[in-house]
Amino acid sequence: MAEPANRPDLAAMIVPLGRSLMAAEQPILAAHDLTMWGYVVLSHLRGTPTRTQAALADAIGADRTRIIGVLDELQQRGLIRREPDPTDRRVRLLSLTAAGRRLRDTASAAIQRNEERLLAALPPADRRALLRSLRTLAALPRDRIVGTA
Amino acid sequence: MAEPANRPDLAAMIVPLGRSLMAAEQPILAAHDLTMWGYVVLSHLRGTPTRTQAALADAIGADRTRIIGVLDELQQRGLIRREPDPTDRRVRLLSLTAAGRRLRDTASAAIQRNEERLLAALPPADRRALLRSLRTLAALPRDRIVGTA
DNA sequence: TATTGTTATACTCTATAACTATA
DNA sequence: TATAGTTATAGAGTATAACAATA
């Protein structure tokens, strides 16, 4: 058993790659006055307006307490709306403003322009398969990956 | 300009996926009494015995000061050798012991067994293309990805 | 003087606990 | 009493600065 390792661990390839991609985003985000979490929030709200801050935190894999300062700033800058739900005044309805959407789309375009530079290293068919596969894996629920520890 | 975003950012897919994969490794590593950095060190030394601790730290993307405790423990447990270079007694020659190699291979097999579960979600051709592509991207030097910020 | 490794310290990021308000 | 949000605090992980040994 235990044949010789003929491929690196998935994690060993993906984690450092992720770190590099994050580092590559940093100057782009800074140019748009966005923190990484700020950008993540905008990106998530762009697809799916969210009913509670807790649900948002959960969806983006952050702690509830961590996103509060982020939301404060995004709201102050008029990039998101954060209105008490008339039905239940404890919850804050979260959505993007037009300005928020514009900013996030501009930043995203710049980020993807940079990413295209890397993807150019791949044959077109592999490139497509990579993106398709990553979408599939990224869509898996976290505990499907982690296993019921 | 700025056509509607038709794909998620690479980073947005890869980073959370990496976090989940790391979380999935955790219990497996714990079962072998390994920390993540410990495992990373063993894995790197397995492929390439390294001449200085600084070079090792650099190769695995860690700080010089961070790996010292890790090396201490691995050495104490007889998993690595760490001998002063007779040529230059400042440097420590680092390599795996037989026990170190065995342990890392066993852990790696368990990790990859778990990863196979996920890869099974992909069509075989995509799966191959994904691994091939990740290898290519992971082999890129970091500053090729980050750009000369 | 420059470099390897080490130790001690400070900083950042993240999670935990305690509090307020609504229900 | 339970839940959403917030604030204050503590903890983990990481990097920075100062030091000792060797070249």
Side-chain angles (χ1 to χ4, degrees):
Chain A
M1 47 186 58
E3 319 91 43
N6 31 13
R7 70 161 170 90
D9 304 339
L10 257 189
M13 294 188 289
I14 283 184
V15 172
L17 189 54
R19 272 201 260 267
S20 296
L21 288 172
M22 265 179 49
E25 283 195 8
Q26 213 80 334
I28 300 175
L29 292 176
H32 295 83
D33 269 301
L34 283 173
T35 64
M36 205 201 20
W37 282 117
Y39 177 68
V40 169
V41 166
L42 293 183
S43 294
H44 186 263
L45 290 182
R46 148 125 212 186
T48 40
T50 304
R51 217 181 81 82
T52 73
Q53 295 184 184
L56 172 63
D58 208 54
I60 64 179
D63 194 275
R64 275 129 190 198
T65 62
R66 288 223 48 242
I67 60 170
I68 291 178
V70 179
L71 295 177
D72 286 346
E73 205 219 323
L74 294 177
Q75 181 183 23
Q76 264 178 2
R77 290 171 61 192
L79 301 173
I80 64 169
R81 263 184 300 273
R82 192 197 205 174
E83 303 154 340
D85 182 346
T87 299
D88 180 344
R89 288 211 309 262
R90 288 175 303 180
V91 332
R92 309 266 175 274
L93 302 171
L94 304 169
S95 58
L96 275 193
T97 63
R101 167 169 312 203
R102 265 196 309 274
L103 181 60
R104 124 77 221 192
D105 285 352
T106 306
S108 177
I111 287 169
Q112 296 207 10
R113 216 154 27 232
N114 184 57
E115 290 177 349
E116 290 297 331
R117 232 190 46 219
L118 302 175
L119 294 173
L122 304 174
D126 277 8
R127 186 203 128 107
R128 279 190 302 272
L130 170 70
L131 290 173
R132 192 164 49 233
S133 303
L134 285 178
R135 267 203 232 237
T136 302
L137 296 179
L140 292 176
R142 183 188 155 92
D143 45 313
R144 172 77 196 287
I145 297 178
V146 174
T148 329
Chain B
M1 46 187 58
E3 321 88 47
N6 32 12
R7 70 161 171 89
D9 304 339
L10 258 190
M13 296 188 288
I14 284 184
V15 172
L17 188 55
R19 273 201 259 266
S20 296
L21 288 171
M22 266 181 47
E25 283 195 11
Q26 213 77 336
I28 300 175
L29 293 176
H32 295 83
D33 268 301
L34 283 173
T35 64
M36 202 200 22
W37 283 116
Y39 177 68
V40 170
V41 166
L42 292 184
S43 293
H44 186 262
L45 290 182
R46 156 135 202 178
T48 40
T50 304
R51 218 181 79 83
T52 72
Q53 296 183 184
L56 172 63
D58 209 53
I60 64 179
D63 194 274
R64 274 132 190 196
T65 61
R66 287 222 50 239
I67 61 170
I68 292 178
V70 177
L71 295 177
D72 287 347
E73 205 220 322
L74 294 176
Q75 181 182 24
Q76 264 179 3
R77 290 170 60 191
L79 300 173
I80 65 170
R81 263 183 302 271
R82 192 197 205 176
E83 302 154 340
D85 182 345
T87 299
D88 179 345
R89 288 212 309 263
R90 288 174 305 179
V91 330
R92 309 266 174 274
L93 302 171
L94 303 170
S95 57
L96 275 192
T97 64
R101 167 169 313 204
R102 265 195 311 273
L103 181 59
R104 121 81 218 189
D105 284 351
T106 306
S108 177
I111 286 169
Q112 297 206 9
R113 218 159 19 240
N114 183 57
E115 291 177 347
E116 290 297 331
R117 232 190 44 217
L118 303 175
L119 293 173
L122 304 174
D126 278 7
R127 185 203 130 109
R128 280 191 301 274
L130 169 71
L131 290 173
R132 191 163 52 231
S133 302
L134 285 177
R135 266 203 234 239
T136 303
L137 295 179
L140 293 176
R142 182 188 156 92
D143 44 315
R144 171 76 195 287
I145 296 178
V146 175
T148 329

